[in-house]
Amino acid sequence: MITVTTLRKMKEKGEKITMLTCYDASFAKVMNNVGVEILLIGDSLGMTIQGHTSTLPVTLEHMIYHTQNVAKGNQKALLVADLPFGAYEGSVESAFQNSVQLMKAGAHMVKLEGGLDQVEKTAYLSKRSIPVCAHLGLTPQSVNALGGYRVQGRDQAVADEMIEAAKAHEAAGASLIVLECIPKDLAKAITAQVNIPVIGIGAGVDCDGQVLVLQDMLGIYPDPPSFSHNFLAETNSVALAVKAYVDAVKTSQFPTEQHSFN
């Protein structure tokens, strides 16, 4: 069974970590069979499963349902469930109660989006035995405030704050960090300056691991982001496509320059 200790040891040894979004039991079994270490029950299901144009309509009940489904098909991977929009922006107590529901549904860790403004939540949850993954950079739940899906951290002040936020989340007890759509050099710097594993998506090859949205890496979601790659196009089956993704991440063949930002 993959645990937070397993992931820390992988970082220490320089072994790449693989992560994919997963929303049901069938795909959980496929990912287990090819060795994906982390399954992310992402609020990206609002777009890939429900057909919305953003993650904002996803509710806590939706996340609980899909977490339960993935848990039933999982045997070895670490399960990370997103706290959806509105589920943790209030008090630390409400964030805790909502996280408890995801953990009872089968999650091993919860993920929340936000920098320095969310460090208090990370500390509160971590002290109460709920492992936290902090999500920095492009945070899809804030897409309206960010002015769209754009690369974050190109401005030096923003980059410095992101480094500070990563360190603060680690100090507050975070077990994992996801960096989305940021310059590869910034992601490399953050990865080197924290002791917890850093998973990138559109953040270059130097992160400790990589994550993609399942439907993007299978080429079945329209207009996939530039940082993704269609692994199904090169194989004959979904299982082989997922295995190809795992192999490419493990050997640092993915992401390439074309999947990264300067």
Side-chain angles (χ1 to χ4, degrees), residues 40-44 60 63 67 80-84 102 109-113 135 141:
L40 172 62
I41 303 96
D43 59 0
S44 51
L60 181 64
M63 294 305 305
T67 299
V80 179
D82 273 339
L83 280 164
L102 289 174
M109 183 183 296
V110 299
K111 182 165 73 67
L112 53 79
E113 298 181 3
H135 185 149
Q141 292 176 12

Side-chain angles (χ1 to χ4, degrees), residues 1-242:
M1 186 74 183
I2 301 296
T3 66
V4 292
T5 302
T6 308
L7 300 179
R8 271 186 176 266
K9 289 180 178 178
M10 291 179 70
K11 178 183 176 84
E12 291 169 2
K13 294 178 181 178
E15 297 177 10
K16 293 293 186 180
I17 300 165
T18 57
M19 183 179 191
L20 280 173
T21 62
C22 187
Y23 316 106
D24 62 37
S26 296
F27 273 105
K29 291 177 181 178
V30 170
M31 293 178 193
N32 271 240
N33 288 340
V34 297
V36 178
E37 283 90 9
I38 309 172
L39 308 189
L40 172 62
I41 303 96
D43 59 0
S44 51
L45 66 88
M47 302 167 79
T48 60
I49 303 297
Q50 297 175 336
H52 297 297
T53 57
S54 76
T55 63
L56 301 185
V58 177
T59 66
L60 181 64
E61 288 70 28
H62 295 152
M63 294 305 305
I64 291 170
Y65 171 76
H66 285 278
T67 299
Q68 290 171 332
N69 290 342
V70 173
K72 290 174 183 175
N74 182 59
Q75 292 181 321
K76 297 177 288 186
L78 184 81
L79 301 188
V80 179
D82 273 339
L83 280 164
F85 181 68
Y88 60 100
E89 286 81 0
S91 67
V92 290
E93 291 84 2
S94 65
F96 173 71
Q97 292 301 328
N98 291 334
S99 297
V100 165
Q101 293 190 63
L102 289 174
M103 298 292 284
K104 287 185 175 181
H108 304 130
M109 183 183 296
V110 299
K111 182 165 73 67
L112 53 79
E113 298 181 3
L116 293 171
D117 57 320
Q118 296 295 353
V119 170
E120 181 186 10
K121 303 276 175 56
T122 292
Y124 192 90
L125 296 176
S126 298
K127 288 177 182 177
R128 287 157 180 79
S129 302
I130 296 181
V132 175
C133 173
H135 185 149
L136 306 174
L138 173 60
T139 47
Q141 292 176 12
S142 304
V143 63
N144 292 323
L146 294 173
Y149 297 98
R150 301 187 300 171
V151 178
Q152 303 295 306
R154 282 178 167 154
D155 176 86
Q156 190 59 50
V158 176
D160 290 343
E161 183 176 315
M162 203 178 303
I163 293 173
E164 182 184 359
K167 292 179 178 179
H169 275 288
E170 178 184 21
S175 300
L176 199 65
I177 294 174
V178 166
L179 299 176
E180 181 169 358
C181 283
I182 69 171
K184 60 180 183 179
D185 289 343
L186 175 56
K188 182 178 182 180
I190 292 173
T191 302
Q193 292 184 50
V194 297
N195 295 313
I196 57 177
V198 175
I199 309 298
I201 176 168
V205 73
D206 294 305
C207 296
D208 298 308
Q210 300 294 325
V211 60
L212 285 177
V213 171
L214 175 66
Q215 282 79 352
D216 288 340
M217 60 83 61
L218 293 178
I220 58 176
Y221 188 78
D223 300 319
S226 62
F227 55 73
S228 189
H229 179 75
N230 183 351
F231 286 88
L232 186 60
E234 304 163 359
T235 56
N236 295 320
S237 74
V238 168
L240 290 176
V242 177

